[in-house]
């Protein structure tokens, strides 16, 4: 079992930056991959990016070269550094962890944190 808690959201002007954090607790040794998703008003929850146990990262094209995912194993924390923010980035951002228990994959989600990009 894993608990995830996002923080760091807020209001920022276009072109600004924010750093989101996701604190993980519980059976963190079983985590297979972690990632970030976002859901804008009236839209589906979309994948933003992910990081593997080995540190390999992937991103959706719309945020590539602007967003960076990193993981601090000592602090059990996942980060999303967001630069050059655009109004289109406005959404609730969710942390995700996929656990592997035997041959079964189990997904866990945080509560979400609001990011608003506006003048």
């Amino acid at each position: 079992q894993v608990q995830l808690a996002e923080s760091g959201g807020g209001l920022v002007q276009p072109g600004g930056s924010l750093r989101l954090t996701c604190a993980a607790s519980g059976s963190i040794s079983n985590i297979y991959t972690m990632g970030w998703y976002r859901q804008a008003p009236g839209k589906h929850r979309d994948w933003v990016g992910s990081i593997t146990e080995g540190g390999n990262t992937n991103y959706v094209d719309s945020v590539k070269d602007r967003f960076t995912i990193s993981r601090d194993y000592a602090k059990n924390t996942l980060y999303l550094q967001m630069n050059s923010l655009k109004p289109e980035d406005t959404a609730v951002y969710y942390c995700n962890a996929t656990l592997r228990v035997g041959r079964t994959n189990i997904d866990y989600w945080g509560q979400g944190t609001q990011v608003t990009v506006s003048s």
Side-chain angles (χ1 to χ4, degrees), residues 76-109:
N76 300 322
T77 302
L78 184 74
Y79 300 95
L80 179 64
Q81 178 66 47
M82 304 184 293
N83 299 324
S84 302
L85 283 162
K86 306 174 181 179
E88 306 91 273
D89 296 318
T90 296
V92 177
Y93 283 71
Y94 296 90
C95 179
N96 165 264
T98 300
L99 277 65
R100 184 175 295 276
V101 182
R103 293 183 175 270
T104 302
N105 292 333
I106 304 173
D107 286 324
Y108 290 86
W109 299 90

Side-chain angles (χ1 to χ4, degrees), residues 24-118:
S25 60
S27 300
I28 57 175
S29 63
N30 293 328
I31 293 177
Y32 180 53
T33 60
M34 298 189 72
W36 290 94
Y37 291 71
R38 66 186 181 185
Q39 186 169 17
K43 305 293 184 180
H44 296 111
R45 185 176 298 186
D46 295 323
W47 173 74
V48 175
S50 58
I51 186 168
T52 68
E53 180 69 17
N56 187 42
T57 57
N58 291 283
Y59 306 91
V60 66
D61 286 344
S62 59
V63 309
K64 196 170 185 178
D65 301 323
R66 298 190 298 119
F67 291 11
T68 302
I69 295 173
S70 60
R71 186 173 175 180
D72 188 331
Y73 289 91
K75 296 181 179 180
N76 300 322
T77 302
L78 184 74
Y79 300 95
L80 179 64
Q81 178 66 47
M82 304 184 293
N83 299 324
S84 302
L85 283 162
K86 306 174 181 179
E88 306 91 273
D89 296 318
T90 296
V92 177
Y93 283 71
Y94 296 90
C95 179
N96 165 264
T98 300
L99 277 65
R100 184 175 295 276
V101 182
R103 293 183 175 270
T104 302
N105 292 333
I106 304 173
D107 286 324
Y108 290 86
W109 299 90
Q111 81 288 346
T113 185
Q114 176 71 49
V115 172
T116 302
V117 185
S118 176

